[in-house]
Amino acid sequence: MKNLHSTEEKYRFSSEAELIFEETLKREVPNREKEETWSNTELDGKTPFLDVFEEMADEPYDIRIANAIVRSWLETNPRIYPGDIVLGVARPRRFVYEHFSWGIQNQSWNQDLRRHPAYADKLSDILRRMDKLYGPEMQRDGYERKLLPRKAEIFGEDTDTSGLMWVGGYQGHTVPSYPLLLSLGIDGAKEKVLHYMKEYGEDEEKTLLYRSMLVILDGFTEYAEQYASAAKKAAEEFPEYREIYLEAAENCLAAAHKAPETLGEAVQLMWFYCLWDWCDCVGRLDQYLYPFYVKSLNEDGREKTENYICALWIKLFENGIHNVTLAGVTPSGNDATNELTYLLLQLCRRCHKTHPRVSVRFHDGSPEELMKLVVKMWSEGMSDPTVASDNNVISGLCKYGVPLDDARDYTILGCQEIEIPGKSNFGCEDGMINLAKVFEYALNNGCNRFGQRIGPETGNFTDFKSADELFDAFEKQVKHIVPIWAELTNYGVDIRNANRAKLVKSIFTDSCVERGLNLDAGGAVYNYGVVETAGSAAVADSFAALEKLVYNEKKISPETLKAAIDANFEGYEKERQMLLNAPKFGNDDDAADKWCVRVLDCFWSEIGKYKSRRGDVFTGACSLLESGIEMGRYTWAMPDGRHAGEPLSNTIGPREGNDTSGVTAMLNSVAKLPLEKGIGGTTLNVLLPVGTLTTEEDREKVAVAMTEFMKNGGQLAQITTANLEDMKDAQVRPECHRDLIVRIGGFSIEFVQLSADTQNEVISRYGNA
Amino acid sequence: MASELLNISGNVFNIQRFSLQDGPGIRTTVFMKGCPLSCIWCHNPEGLSDECELSFDVKKCIGCGECAKICPVGAHLMKDGVHIIERERCTSCMRCVGVCPSRAIEQAGRIMSAREVIDELMKDKAYYKENGGVTLSGGEPLLQPEFSKVILAESKKRGISTAVETSGFADKDVFMSVASLADIILFDLKLCGNEEHKKYTGVSREKIDINLKAAADAGIPVILRCPIIPTVNDNIEHFEGIVSKAKTVKTLKEVHIEPYHTVGLAKHRLIGTESLFETEPLCFERAGEIADLISKKLDVPVKVSK
């Protein structure tokens, strides 16, 4: 029996699986290494959406969109790689397509498409045809007609609110119910839809939804059968793979109809469905497949079992699936870690790339080997897996009213978000608020720095006698901005709902079919909203600096401070230095940490008073990707000594370079935050000093640090271990460092793909390591 | 422990959390000011003097002149736009430290009570587990024995494992009074012969050897820490010396090879002292070779410190 826990040598799979691996890593897949994960087959010049919308002009919109989705899959030619035992590849991004997050997308702006030879002679024709497609259902229309005018109405046409918020959002990732898919199969799902269609017979709107769901399911059957035929044909053409292709054909046929009985049927069905779900996230993979895995081990032996798991992983890897979650507790509270958990981690260890992101859940009873393996993977240069704390997330979800068993079944998805798989639509990234801008308004009596009014008059800064008085002003500005954000963001929800594109997800998300509601109409069981939180550390640091230097020690007068900020510290370097050297969040120093707690508590509590149009309240999150840098560009100088334009933190952690008291101090600071109100998911990058993970002994120490962090209030964390020299060299010779992967916000990304600004920012973090 | 005992104060120049190199587990290292040795390669020169010193980093200076304004003896001067400290005038009143906005001027060393130190140690209590904990280092903890004893005893009382990193240079009763409160001793082994030891560190090995034996006799686990300094002790005779010394320590757990680095040189400049010694750092490869060499002749792990 091989040791799946091994942290020593990398795991060797069965000889066949090893061959598959080698083949895969050799083959060229367009765009595999880009973030464009949903378009990794070449462009083909086809226009299925436009065709269907024109051909079916008389049909209701819902029926057209369902047919367009189906057509776009059926028109993507089956592709079978040599030796493929699990079949199916993603389809190209065409001029109109449906996206797991945005819904129907107009890509007429896309220069790659415009320039592509496949479309060269058809371009003007396509653009003309697309013009006719605009209607209330199209996102851009909703955005331009509703959201932007309303925003201008609220703030005033000429008022500068750049860098304050982002609304309407991405509203993206959800994990549909793979257990439901695997237990019903496609035929079972059709029966279920038909059952409810009969039940709601009178309701036209619901009937239309059910009809469009049936179009999808019938299309899915046809698609799977198409692949079955292709595999049979391939079996004749390539005798050396005959057995494999014949088996794949059987699996495809099964996937077209029935609930799977074997591992092969299960992974094929999962994979087809995952493709149709636009390669979104697959949730708790080690849980969903485990029964099939055990059965296969017993009936077919280890080699065949590993081949299937391996083949599925390669599909997830090659097609850029967003997130896979492993381990944690089961809905009944037992340890969910199993053999498959380790096998999947070992596979991830072999495919060292940015996708799929892997998240591992930990609870008090998680096996020590699991953390050991995770740390070992970090030490090998991976920033995956992300670790997630069951303690924090489950109790946070419960406080928002999620029943314990469902809370225990949470998954990580997207970049670093949290949801209940198969039951929720948290609207990952409904929008964002930059608290640093809100702070600017508090400092300017409710105006932006140009004197344009944004919020209520909350007093002149120079009249305040304490940091608490300024905090009151900040709180009032927060209370003013939050409902505006919520209103605008809900237009985004409306726009997506009007789109009615998430049919594939809706069929397999609990309660959508039962209630006859599309996912974006609030069809899921849990419909919380999520606000991304930018600038919390900079605001906390600003309060801490003001409290110490202006109000307690009185070393800087309020007037001087205000003048220094207004001047972006030009001529005030002495004051700036004093501010820079005031206590900073991230050093386990309550003088600063308490402010970060207050700021987040104030903001996230306020957010929780408003509801997403999907039905439940908004919650906090912080998975900013590169937005901390972007928002920073629009944010003026602040009393923490930060110059105008400098980056804000990309995570819930300290501003880059401000944590100078060691890793444990930083972890303690973050664990003090009210992260249970940030159940949308709050990322934290832990930057370990170069060389910290080289010996077994050191790795054990890091394992202890991360385990304790998660026990004591931490939520999510990821480790960056790339080394400084490599990054500097990569700036000079990018071609030599394509394998250099770093974490930014919730994102694993190739260092060389980053802008020079972002590269410098990552490097400056290392300067303090 | 009677709580008034925790009022005892000592001079500490740094407390470093998440120390991974100063003993088993995750540790917080307390660097205590003052050292009876004067190793020519000293990498913590700010730990040499037992008094607080003025530290000045010209790179951080913004030339605001606040220090010059407040200095009662005119020790801070601006010459051709460059900030110079005339240290011979300085009376270490430290007034300039309080007015320097950019922390270019800082005080090396801080008088802390044992209670303050313990509060700091407790912040990482959750991370220590059974084997991690506190390490007293320096400087030389044996120069502040009463302070050290209070910290060690209180730590043990609170379930924090204790370690002392020491040159071993002290009277035996002083040494044992501190060492007996340590769960492990990181014992320096700089040079093996009396003469050489005196030449490079300023003191002879006699007391040190007595204490090393006493620690082992008392059953206190020992890690030997061997700085390897090119041109001083990077030679086979010294490695053989390490092996034979190591064999006399019944409670030996590990031997650490500590390659010379040049960080100490920059620190010298900060406190206005000068190092009379400079050589190339010892590369990790060479340190690894030395560790292998020694390892072959001993039954305990020989590791290279980073």
Side-chain angles (χ1 to χ4, degrees), chain A residues 581 588 664 697-698 708, chain B residues 17 103 124 129 303 306:
Chain A
N581 286 303
D588 204 3
T664 49
E697 210 181 321
D698 288 347
E708 285 308 312
Chain B
R17 295 165 68 175
R103 288 198 196 161
D124 275 359
K129 303 284 161 197
K303 298 175 180 171
K306 288 188 294 272

Side-chain angles (χ1 to χ4, degrees), chain A residues 352-526:
Chain A
H352 174 193
K353 281 286 169 188
T354 54
H355 288 78
R357 295 180 195 108
V358 174
S359 310
V360 180
R361 290 175 40 176
F362 284 89
H363 61 104
D364 291 348
S366 292
E368 276 179 29
E369 298 84 41
L370 186 62
M371 182 54 95
K372 266 191 187 165
L373 183 54
V374 166
V375 177
K376 178 67 183 180
M377 289 166 76
W378 291 335
S379 79
E380 288 166 353
M382 299 188 63
S383 56
D384 273 317
T386 288
V387 292
S389 163
D390 279 9
N391 281 359
N392 181 276
V393 176
I394 293 169
S395 80
L397 286 166
C398 287
K399 282 181 188 161
Y400 276 92
V402 177
L404 184 59
D405 53 345
D406 277 352
R408 282 170 170 161
D409 200 31
Y410 81 91
T411 186
I412 305 297
L413 72 168
C415 299
Q416 297 278 293
E417 288 96 10
I418 294 167
E419 277 202 356
I420 317 297
K423 293 189 177 182
S424 57
N425 181 3
F426 282 18
C428 279
E429 300 164 37
D430 275 313
M432 178 188 303
I433 291 184
N434 177 4
L435 294 173
K437 279 307 243 197
V438 181
F439 181 85
E440 177 185 313
Y441 308 149
L443 217 52
N444 291 292
N445 195 9
C447 295
N448 64 18
R449 63 180 201 88
F450 306 112
Q452 296 169 311
R453 179 145 304 282
I454 309 263
E457 292 184 27
T458 46
N460 287 316
F461 170 68
T462 46
D463 295 337
F464 295 143
K465 297 282 173 284
S466 68
D468 287 331
E469 283 184 28
L470 177 64
F471 189 85
D472 287 344
F474 172 74
E475 196 164 17
K476 284 177 190 145
Q477 298 298 338
V478 167
K479 282 175 195 275
H480 178 76
I481 293 294
V482 164
I484 294 175
W485 175 87
E487 184 197 335
L488 294 176
T489 281
N490 274 331
Y491 289 123
V493 180
D494 292 345
I495 291 161
R496 264 157 208 77
N497 186 19
N499 227 210
R500 298 203 284 292
K502 296 202 185 151
L503 292 166
V504 175
K505 283 185 185 293
S506 297
I507 297 168
F508 290 103
T509 300
D510 284 8
S511 106
C512 285
V513 174
E514 287 85 341
R515 292 158 64 203
L517 275 177
N518 189 299
L519 186 70
D520 278 336
V525 181
Y526 307 110

Side-chain angles (χ1 to χ4, degrees), chain A residues 555 574 577-578 581 588 661 663-665 667-668 691-692 694 697-698 701 704-705 708 712, chain B residues 17-18 20-21 23-26 62 64 66 98 101-103 123-124 126-127 129 303 306:
Chain A
K555 284 184 175 168
K574 195 178 88 187
Q577 287 296 333
M578 292 161 77
N581 286 303
D588 204 3
S661 307
V663 171
T664 49
L667 294 177
N668 284 358
T692 305
T694 46
E697 210 181 321
D698 288 347
K701 294 174 188 180
V704 166
E708 285 308 312
N712 298 324
Chain B
R17 295 165 68 175
F18 199 60
L20 302 182
Q21 303 294 324
I26 294 173
I62 59 167
C64 67
E66 291 295 322
S102 62
R103 288 198 196 161
K123 288 182 175 175
D124 275 359
Y127 301 99
K129 303 284 161 197
K303 298 175 180 171
K306 288 188 294 272

Side-chain angles (χ1 to χ4, degrees), chain B residues 61-285:
Chain B
C61 177
I62 59 167
C64 67
E66 291 295 322
C67 47
K69 275 186 228 161
I70 203 161
C71 182
V73 295
H76 292 281
L77 301 172
M78 293 297 286
K79 278 188 184 162
D80 305 325
V82 180
H83 181 173
I84 289 167
I85 301 182
E86 294 196 342
R87 291 200 178 252
E88 55 279 13
R89 292 175 186 228
C90 175
T91 59
S92 296
C93 72
M94 302 294 173
R95 279 180 223 179
C96 53
V97 173
V99 298
C100 177
S102 62
R103 288 198 196 161
I105 304 172
E106 287 190 287
Q107 179 176 314
R110 179 183 156 205
I111 307 300
M112 291 180 83
S113 69
R115 182 175 288 106
E116 287 174 292
V117 174
I118 292 287
D119 286 348
E120 197 62 24
L121 299 181
M122 288 302 287
K123 288 182 175 175
D124 275 359
K125 176 83 164 60
Y127 301 99
Y128 297 148
K129 303 284 161 197
E130 299 78 37
N131 60 351
V134 56
T135 301
L136 298 188
S137 180
E140 174 54 68
L142 297 179
L143 263 195
Q144 303 183 51
E146 297 309 317
F147 184 53
S148 296
K149 280 190 281 190
V150 172
I151 295 170
L152 293 173
E154 182 68 12
S155 296
K156 282 177 97 76
K157 199 175 113 192
R158 299 194 186 206
I160 299 174
S161 168
T162 56
V164 172
E165 209 232 321
T166 176
S167 66
F169 184 79
D171 291 339
K172 186 179 166 189
D173 53 337
V174 171
F175 173 81
M176 281 310 293
S177 70
V178 174
S180 57
L181 290 167
D183 295 319
I184 192 158
I185 296 184
L186 311 177
F187 210 115
D188 293 351
L189 176 50
K190 300 165 196 272
L191 292 140
C192 296
N194 272 342
E195 283 309 305
E196 289 175 287
H197 202 278
K198 192 159 173 45
K199 177 178 169 194
Y200 288 110
T201 73
V203 305
S204 149
R205 285 202 59 85
E206 284 149 13
K207 284 182 179 177
I208 296 172
D209 282 330
I210 290 169
N211 288 335
L212 182 55
K213 183 169 183 304
D217 287 347
I220 306 167
V222 167
I223 292 175
L224 280 181
R225 304 248 282 186
C226 310
I228 302 297
I229 322 293
T231 74
V232 175
N233 61 7
D234 181 7
N235 56 61
I236 189 72
E237 293 77 21
H238 180 55
F239 308 148
E240 280 166 2
I242 291 174
V243 171
S244 51
K245 265 294 178 243
K247 284 187 172 164
T248 67
V249 185
K250 289 172 292 189
T251 55
L252 188 67
K253 297 291 165 207
E254 288 173 10
V255 174
H256 290 179
I257 300 300
E258 306 198 298
Y260 172 75
H261 56 75
T262 52
V263 176
L265 297 176
K267 290 186 178 180
H268 267 294
R269 281 192 286 277
L270 295 180
I271 53 168
T273 54
E274 239 177 284
S275 173
L276 300 172
F277 177 80
E278 191 172 347
T279 185
E280 289 295 304
L282 189 85
C283 67
F284 281 112
E285 259 178 11

Side-chain angles (χ1 to χ4, degrees), chain A residues 275-415:
Chain A
L275 282 171
W276 279 51
D277 191 33
W278 267 118
C279 303
D280 198 350
C281 307
V282 296
R284 307 183 71 185
L285 188 60
D286 59 343
Q287 307 305 302
Y288 308 153
L289 283 181
Y290 189 62
F292 297 98
Y293 173 78
V294 172
K295 186 166 176 250
S296 174
L297 275 184
N298 291 336
E299 291 173 7
D300 301 317
R302 176 158 293 278
E303 178 151 342
K304 190 164 179 189
T305 305
E306 280 191 7
N307 285 353
Y308 269 121
I309 299 292
C310 220
L312 175 66
W313 185 266
I314 283 165
K315 292 293 177 194
L316 302 181
F317 159 74
E318 200 165 61
N319 293 277
I321 297 301
H322 285 265
N323 219 317
V324 172
T325 299
L326 304 173
V329 292
T330 63
S332 53
N334 298 317
D335 179 38
T337 315
N338 59 39
E339 203 178 293
L340 192 52
T341 314
Y342 291 100
L343 181 61
L344 291 167
L345 276 175
Q346 296 287 5
L347 276 164
C348 174
R349 212 172 153 200
R350 290 293 299 278
C351 289
H352 174 193
K353 281 286 169 188
T354 54
H355 288 78
R357 295 180 195 108
V358 174
S359 310
V360 180
R361 290 175 40 176
F362 284 89
H363 61 104
D364 291 348
S366 292
E368 276 179 29
E369 298 84 41
L370 186 62
M371 182 54 95
K372 266 191 187 165
L373 183 54
V374 166
V375 177
K376 178 67 183 180
M377 289 166 76
W378 291 335
S379 79
E380 288 166 353
M382 299 188 63
S383 56
D384 273 317
T386 288
V387 292
S389 163
D390 279 9
N391 281 359
N392 181 276
V393 176
I394 293 169
S395 80
L397 286 166
C398 287
K399 282 181 188 161
Y400 276 92
V402 177
L404 184 59
D405 53 345
D406 277 352
R408 282 170 170 161
D409 200 31
Y410 81 91
T411 186
I412 305 297
L413 72 168
C415 299

